[in-house]
Amino acid sequence: KMADVSSGTAAGGEATAMAEDGVAAVTPVSESIASEPPAEEAAEVHPEKRRRVDEPAAAAPAEAAAAAAAEPEPIESKPSRGEFVLKYTLKGHTRAVSAIKYSPNGEWLASSSSDKLVKIWNAQDGKVELSLEGHEQGISDLAWSCDSKYIATASDDNTVKIWDAAMGRCLKTLKGHTNHVFCVNFNPQSNLIASGSFDESIRIWDVKTGKCLKILPAHSDPVSSVHFNRDGTLIVSGSYDGLCRIWETSTGSCLKTLIDDDNPPISHVQFSPNGRFILAATLDNVIRLWNCGSSKCTKLYRGHKNEKYCVASNFLVGDRLCVVSGSEDQLVYLWDLQSKEIIQKLAGHEAPVIGISCHPSGKFIASCAIDPDRTIKIWKLKEPS
């Protein structure tokens, strides 16, 4: 059912060894993904497919002030062996929280929101440190530079901004997209930024000068996600057109197109830490693991709900290798990478969970939700006794 519809090659993958549930299985996927250290990391669309809810009621001044001043709420929970438990609930945003990312050094947690703000939180105690203000409309996505010094943000005001994370100051505003900018990421060297937009294009920017180096006419629908591989030579993009494409960073050439016969819209894509696999979430309640070398789908992760919003998923690299995803049923799901078994569901949010980030240590997960929840939750791994 899976087909490579373009020529060219990308990063190599593991050999196919067996068939499982009708799709090829690589052996062993978990070892392959963890075998190398992670790298540091104008079409109108129906509003139901947006990551955020664009028209919630504005928070009253008193409510906003109270939320901004709120301390993180410690949560007591009784875990079973080796499970994640809720440590903090962070409040401060006054609209839907669209994305959340741990800094590569693990010290900070950044969140973006429809309230036009980015907030930087202390990853240890959950206290807000800074608010970045400057976008004219809501923010859909953010990314950290590999040295944890800079943040890039993607906004509905058609711009990308680069911020000094320590000072909270906007350093550059990147202009060129002709519609909402929906996704953004630094390359591992952090000298380039890739952004995807509702204008159906990907732009590659020079961080130092702020100039656009390349414009890729990438898709026939809005670009929902972009991500660099571990050495920055490749970019993967996903789109509502149902295509997952691999691009050569230096030339802007499309090397491969990964497509499923059902062609569901893609809500999120991400390279595995070693760049040999791609995790692709789609709006048919499925997360697919693709082998870049063979262009085959090797694993399917099911059980969560994702039909409406762009819900993030991630690799959790720790004692146990997992796939982690938000869900529209208000839960966070964890699957065993190899067996595809759901090993835990994290309950606590009161709205669809669309943002997920895994701490570099593998011992914390952060999640965020849209209206009316508007909170961030930090989950801690309960060490085996």
Side-chain angles (χ1 to χ4, degrees), residues 51-99:
R51 171 177 289 149
R52 289 171 285 99
V53 176
D54 292 323
E55 298 181 357
E63 178 189 344
E71 289 289 322
E73 300 176 1
I75 304 293
E76 293 296 330
S77 182
K78 296 181 179 180
S80 60
R81 184 179 178 89
E83 291 186 343
F84 282 87
V85 295
L86 188 56
K87 182 180 181 183
Y88 291 123
T89 293
L90 314 183
K91 297 180 179 180
H93 286 293
T94 58
R95 299 280 293 274
V97 187
S98 57

Side-chain angles (χ1 to χ4, degrees), residues 6 43 66 80 107 126 139 148 174 180 198 206 218 233 288 291 305 323 330-331 340 353 358 360 383:
S6 67
S80 60
E107 295 180 5
I139 303 169
S148 302
L174 313 182
H180 308 316
F198 270 51
D206 182 279
T233 58
R288 293 167 172 83
N291 184 309
K305 183 179 180 181
V323 171
Q330 307 179 7
L331 302 176
K340 304 175 292 184
V353 180
C358 299
E383 299 289 354

